[in-house]
Amino acid sequence: MLARQRDHAGVAAPPDPADALYAGAKAGLRPLHDALLDEIRALGSFDIAPKKGYLSLRRRKQFAMIQPSTTSRIDLGMILSATPATGRLESAARFNPLFTHRVRITAVTDLDDELRGWLAAAYALAG
């Protein structure tokens, strides 16, 4: 049975949609997921739509997704239609065709200014 946290008024808080993604062998990625989500939350408000195997991030339109793909890597898909794929900003065509680009994240050090710039651009385009 899932234990739910309660807020100060005693109302049950909704379960975190990421909990199911980081159960079992992928549990070690949860701190990295939380750090990535903190970076994205710094951009402003958005909705999280849980999907089978990943979280879809939406404003007016979807702009990104977070997927724990292996036990050691999170894949961040983004929609950056006018941005060429280069280096670590890979084409997502073979990963998930709903997104234009993918970045493989394996450590907190991957959450750098370059990644923040791509996230900010995807966030703004979904506006």
Side-chain angles (χ1 to χ4, degrees), residues 63-116:
F63 69 93
M65 60 89 81
I66 301 172
Q67 175 179 312
S69 295
T70 71
T71 58
S72 62
R73 186 184 81 236
I74 293 173
D75 285 324
L76 173 66
M78 292 176 282
I79 299 174
L80 293 165
S81 26
T83 305
T86 57
R88 66 188 265 230
L89 184 66
E90 307 171 19
S91 168
R94 294 180 57 203
F95 165 65
N96 185 327
L98 294 175
F99 301 89
T100 60
H101 296 81
R102 168 176 68 169
V103 176
R104 299 170 193 238
I105 300 170
T106 59
V108 173
T109 55
D110 293 332
L111 309 179
D112 58 9
D113 288 341
E114 186 175 45
L115 181 69
R116 286 183 202 94

